[in-house]
Amino acid sequence: GESKAPVFVIHGTDDQEIDIHHGKRLYASSNTTAEPWWVDGGGHNDIEFDTRRQYFRKLERFLQFLSKGSYGPSSHSTITCQPENDEEKTV
């Protein structure tokens, strides 16, 4: 069945285990209003390590979005998980 739960899709563009097209299909088929995070250069198990600061900022924004309860296909709220200074990588 279809889930009505909000989804925050995170997928690395260089994932060698699961191709990014699967993440894009998951996002396209979801009812979420949260924008996905396509991690440039991200692999399968390194996103939370290579982009640690960004990862936690984006996750925090998604959780704040959920706590407001304004989500779902009928909602006009959209969360953007891409702050302006998120280009920096932390190793």
Side-chain angles (χ1 to χ4, degrees):
E2 284 189 29
S3 173
K4 304 290 186 225
V7 177
F8 178 32
V9 177
I10 302 171
H11 203 107
T13 60
D14 291 345
D15 190 331
Q16 298 298 309
E17 302 293 320
I18 300 173
D19 192 77
I20 192 167
H21 86 271
H22 291 287
K24 291 184 177 187
R25 282 182 52 206
L26 175 66
Y27 175 71
S29 66
S30 72
N31 289 319
T32 193
T33 54
E35 292 184 20
W37 180 29
W38 310 123
V39 183
D40 189 36
H44 187 69
N45 289 319
D46 61 358
I47 292 171
E48 67 274 18
F49 300 110
D50 293 347
T51 57
R52 189 169 204 68
R53 208 178 307 155
Q54 289 173 281
Y55 177 80
F56 284 109
R57 267 189 270 164
K58 290 173 187 295
L59 188 56
E60 179 181 29
R61 286 193 175 147
F62 181 65
L63 294 174
Q64 288 171 350
F65 176 72
L66 294 179
S67 71
K68 292 178 184 173
S70 56
Y71 50 81
S74 62
S75 171
H76 295 292
S77 298
T78 300
I79 181 172
T80 301
C81 296
Q82 189 70 28
E84 57 282 348
N85 56 353
D86 264 0
E87 298 303 315
E88 169 184 332
K89 273 193 165 187
T90 306
V91 177

